[in-house]
Amino acid sequence: MTQLPIGEPVPDFTLPASNGEQVTLSDYRGKNVVLYFYPKDMTTACIQESCDFRDANQEMLSLNTVILGISLDTVKSHQNFIAKKELPFLLLADTEHAVCELYGVWQLKKLYGREYMGLVRSTFLIDTAGKLVQEWRKVRVKGHTQQVLEAVQQL
């Protein structure tokens, strides 16, 4: 698993976004970024997590912080997810899991004795200079957004 050192710059990347454009992480320098990786659009836990971030979005924006979600889904899938759940932030399509690998969230998973590679739900808080402030790996959705919000408030 790739370990990203706290206080060091995070890997930059460019991915297709739900707005139909290419988004580059470094374009957000000057703002804090909550970068959350989630397994799949329109699944129970991912809906809950995304809606929790949606509900915290205004407060995050007031704290100079943008939210970006990343999954393996296509841009079209992201657009449908945003429309159904009224998500106010961009979702990025990492269909080849290259960024997931950069951030160490593409890992061996086990389910009912079966092993497979998959995206492990994780969140990274990046400061205005592009440095990692905090990370949450193997996230449990309940209460997670509040933890992230409290960390943002400390910046």
Side-chain angles (χ1 to χ4, degrees), residues 61-140:
L61 288 173
S62 76
L63 296 166
N64 193 37
T65 303
V66 296
I67 299 169
L68 297 172
I70 297 181
S71 78
L72 306 175
D73 296 294
T74 63
V75 167
K76 181 73 176 143
S77 175
H78 285 337
Q79 290 168 339
N80 292 336
F81 189 27
I82 285 170
K84 284 190 170 118
K85 299 302 173 184
E86 300 177 3
L87 303 178
F89 45 79
L90 294 176
L91 298 178
L92 310 181
D94 188 18
T95 56
E96 302 297 317
H97 53 78
V99 175
C100 291
E101 289 182 42
L102 267 180
Y103 281 75
V105 301
W106 183 251
Q107 298 176 19
L108 186 65
K109 297 171 83 172
K110 293 180 184 177
L111 183 65
Y112 304 120
R114 195 178 122 242
E115 291 186 342
Y116 61 98
M117 293 301 290
L119 191 161
V120 175
R121 186 183 314 277
S122 303
T123 302
F124 299 87
L125 177 56
I126 303 160
D127 71 11
T128 57
K131 294 181 179 172
L132 182 63
V133 175
Q134 194 166 344
E135 64 179 17
W136 296 264
R137 294 183 181 265
K138 297 183 180 173
V139 165
R140 296 279 177 247

Side-chain angles (χ1 to χ4, degrees), residues 12-24:
D12 199 16
F13 61 83
T14 301
L15 285 174
S18 51
N19 63 358
E21 297 178 10
Q22 295 285 320
V23 167
T24 300

